[in-house]
Amino acid sequence: MAAHIRRRLRKGATTTAVAAAAVAALSASQAPGATPVAAGGQPAGDATPPTSSGSTATGDSPYYTDLPPLNTPNPLGPGDGPVVTGPAEAGIPATVLDAYKRAEQHLRTTRPGCNLPWQLLAGIGKVESGQARGGRVDADGTTLSRILGPVLDGNGFANITDTDGGVHDGDTRHDRAVGPMQFIPSTWASWGQDANGDGRKDPNNIYDAAQAAGMYLCANNRDLAVKADLDRAILSYNQSREYLRTVLSWFEFYKRGTHQVPDGTGVQPGERSDTRPRIRPGALPAPSARPSSPSTAPKPGAKPGARPGAGTGTPAPSPGAGSPSPTPAPVETVPAKPTPSPKPTAPKPTPTPTPTKPSEPPTPAERVHRLADAGTDALTAPAGTEFAGRVSVVARDAQGKAVERVAIRFEIAGDTDARFADGASAVTVTTGEDGTATAPALRAGERTGEFTVRAVVAGRPAVDPLAFTATVTTGAADTLAAQSGEAPLTAAPGGEFAQRLTVKATRKGAPVPGAELTATVVAEAADGTRTTAAEGPYFKGVRDEPVRTLTGLTTDENGVLQLPPLYADDLTGTWQLRLTTRGGATLTVTLSVAAA
């Protein structure tokens, strides 16, 4: 982009002042609602940045200042589809993009009034770490090497004494910003998250860091749909107004369209706020020779490029000398060069052949020729329970050999609310030495029926995916209710209970057909304990023998069951009939035997 600006300015041969103003105008043009910018990249009227206290998320550490391209990317959908082409800067590595979107979903539930868009996290991630250095993360989203900011020792940055004993940043004297979202350890101690469910809050993991950044931006009941709250949230990350404009530029750019690229292939920015030369507002770098004004022709005898008035006894005007109006910025003129006489053309030497570099070996993913089932068990589970079987695949090359260290993405597709154990609809697992990758446990939702689990090689759409069918059956009942029969049920000694008990089994209010029930006659001892009765009311067995525990009872297609008749022996007293289901639902009815 800087080269593009230089080419445009070279045509008009403008001065350094015009170039500085053009750069500032470009920065302002890409940040809607941004503060006007003066020369040198500082906000007009706010030339001095706020003094850093280190109280921000990053301790006001340096950041990348590259701006998005002027051309708008073509909208390519939400970025969940296959890898596509487009403006390189619009591509976000697959795992990083997934982490941003999962963080947005989490905040929709935990902070619904915040209205956090994932594109804001992408803008901050671009500015802080170049999207985790172009997506250099493993299958679980952890960076392949630690991303550390400079030592915050007060030398150009905040002075923050070590707060974590070097656990996160490896420095026991001062703190450093850590990870793809650049949290300082003291901020991470308050806002760290375990978004990927591995039991650790790791600032180097893009899932943990993205969710923590979302929680941090939504603090203090901010509504990020309100411009003032959005600005305050970004400035809480870094107090620089230039940082605010840069993040907003990428935020708007990503909202206009983006797409997914393979991990490790994202475009990495190059210019950082701590290495770029800064120009004091209103000042110009000293030129090697001040150009002459186009409105004043040089006097005879004056040297080309000399100051106006030089050698004539007339002093040159100095800045701020009280002239009624500022002198227009001088325009550099380039004298025409005389046409040189043609020179004899020397014979060109024969170029030395450039040695061919050896081709790089293929990556593990590029070696994969196909995916095969690695012994996946039948995928069937009642609603609300965990599947006993797990999807397992093996990656093989063209010769049928197993390929290790390949990222396999498991995706749930279809009309289902089933999810993996951590609540995700897609997870990535790396193959082991035997080339096998096994997905986390699946948990059935409340929707019954079939759905599909697909296994694909991350970043290799050319390899056919492997699909597995999973089935969710009716779940166990969570409620039993009496449909007929009064409580208590009564009978005379030696007689039959007049009422027959009918019950209905439901799960979350819906009937449960085929629910398995057990009915037991229970007696209460003198000490209050209850056990299966040895005498008293009973059911009849196949040979009319007394039976006080019935198993194998099931509800009909409407979830309803009518129990067999109950009889009383010669004893009088009170007992209980207890019905239970496999899912733990219980119904207790009192049985009373008394003389007429």
Side-chain angles (χ1 to χ4, degrees), residues 95 138-139 263 364-365 368 371 404-410 428-431 437 456-460:
T95 300
D138 64 18
D263 289 346
V368 178
L371 292 177
E404 62 177 324
R405 293 181 288 111
V406 178
I408 305 298
R409 186 172 175 84
F410 297 95
T428 303
V429 180
T430 303
T431 59
V456 299
V457 180
R460 282 294 309 279

Side-chain angles (χ1 to χ4, degrees), residues 247-270:
V247 170
L248 286 174
S249 296
W250 285 106
F251 175 40
E252 293 295 330
F253 182 75
Y254 287 137
K255 285 200 300 184
R256 293 194 297 268
T258 185
H259 59 270
Q260 174 181 300
V261 299
D263 289 346
T265 65
V267 174
Q268 299 187 54

Side-chain angles (χ1 to χ4, degrees), residues 440-467:
L442 271 169
R443 186 168 186 83
E446 293 302 322
R447 298 179 192 169
T448 58
E450 293 184 346
F451 63 94
T452 300
V453 180
R454 296 194 318 145
V456 299
V457 180
R460 282 294 309 279
V463 178
D464 291 336
L466 205 57

Side-chain angles (χ1 to χ4, degrees), residues 128-357:
E128 291 295 348
S129 67
Q131 311 298 20
R133 291 176 176 162
R136 295 187 68 247
V137 297
D138 64 18
D140 296 322
T142 302
T143 57
L144 301 181
S145 59
R146 286 197 297 187
I147 302 176
L148 296 176
V151 177
L152 299 177
D153 58 0
N155 184 18
F157 314 110
N159 189 351
I160 306 178
T161 306
D162 175 63
T163 60
D164 67 332
V167 171
H168 295 304
D169 56 14
D171 193 329
T172 57
R173 296 186 60 190
H174 294 89
D175 274 350
R176 303 174 71 173
V178 181
M181 303 305 280
Q182 288 289 278
F183 280 94
I184 55 176
S186 57
T187 307
W188 184 258
S190 301
W191 294 93
Q193 301 284 307
D194 176 21
N196 62 353
D198 64 355
R200 298 192 311 126
K201 297 177 180 180
D202 185 2
N204 298 294
N205 182 277
I206 186 58
Y207 289 99
D208 293 359
Q211 184 168 302
M215 299 290 286
Y216 183 88
L217 293 167
C218 289
N220 300 320
N221 296 318
R222 295 189 187 104
D223 180 0
L224 302 184
V226 177
K227 183 64 168 64
D229 278 4
L230 175 64
D231 288 358
R232 276 191 287 268
I234 297 172
L235 288 171
S236 75
Y237 223 87
N238 189 305
Q239 296 180 47
S240 165
R241 288 280 174 178
E242 185 177 4
Y243 178 90
L244 170 64
R245 290 192 297 273
T246 306
V247 170
L248 286 174
S249 296
W250 285 106
F251 175 40
E252 293 295 330
F253 182 75
Y254 287 137
K255 285 200 300 184
R256 293 194 297 268
T258 185
H259 59 270
Q260 174 181 300
V261 299
D263 289 346
T265 65
V267 174
Q268 299 187 54
E271 188 169 298
R272 289 173 60 91
S273 59
D274 59 335
T275 58
R276 187 179 64 178
R278 301 186 65 85
I279 304 174
R280 180 169 50 84
L284 296 175
S288 57
R290 179 79 65 175
S292 61
S293 170
S295 61
T296 305
K299 297 195 181 232
K303 294 181 179 180
R307 298 192 315 274
T312 66
T314 304
S318 59
S323 56
S325 60
T327 302
V331 177
E332 182 180 2
T333 57
V334 181
K337 294 182 179 180
T339 304
S341 300
K343 296 181 179 180
T345 305
K348 294 183 179 180
T350 303
T352 304
T354 303
T356 304
K357 293 183 179 180

